[in-house]
Amino acid sequence: MEMVTVRELRNNGGEVLNRVARGEGLVVTRDGQPVAELRPVRSGWWLRDYAPLDASRRLAP
């Protein structure tokens, strides 16, 4: 995975997210140490993982 610094993420966030949206995984570093990973979301994951929560919300008063 390629690395980007926190500063690059802050200053060029849109460009960094465009890279991730195109399928690239990135490691975010601070002071040369990895602190986070950015990777594309799996297609449709929110539909599968949140469907039970959505159903229970509809039943709530």
Side-chain angles (χ1 to χ4, degrees), residues 25-44:
L26 301 170
V27 173
V28 180
T29 63
R30 180 179 8 172
D31 299 325
Q33 299 299 312
V35 294
E37 287 184 19
L38 295 175
R39 57 184 159 199
V41 295
R42 297 181 314 266
S43 180

Side-chain angles (χ1 to χ4, degrees), residues 12-59:
N12 304 307
E15 183 180 316
V16 170
L17 290 179
N18 285 340
R19 290 172 60 186
V20 173
R22 288 191 298 267
E24 192 173 344
L26 301 170
V27 173
V28 180
T29 63
R30 180 179 8 172
D31 299 325
Q33 299 299 312
V35 294
E37 287 184 19
L38 295 175
R39 57 184 159 199
V41 295
R42 297 181 314 266
S43 180
W45 69 270
W46 57 89
L47 297 174
R48 184 190 71 242
D49 293 347
Y50 289 108
L53 293 175
D54 188 44
S56 66
R57 182 179 57 91
R58 279 187 257 125
L59 297 174

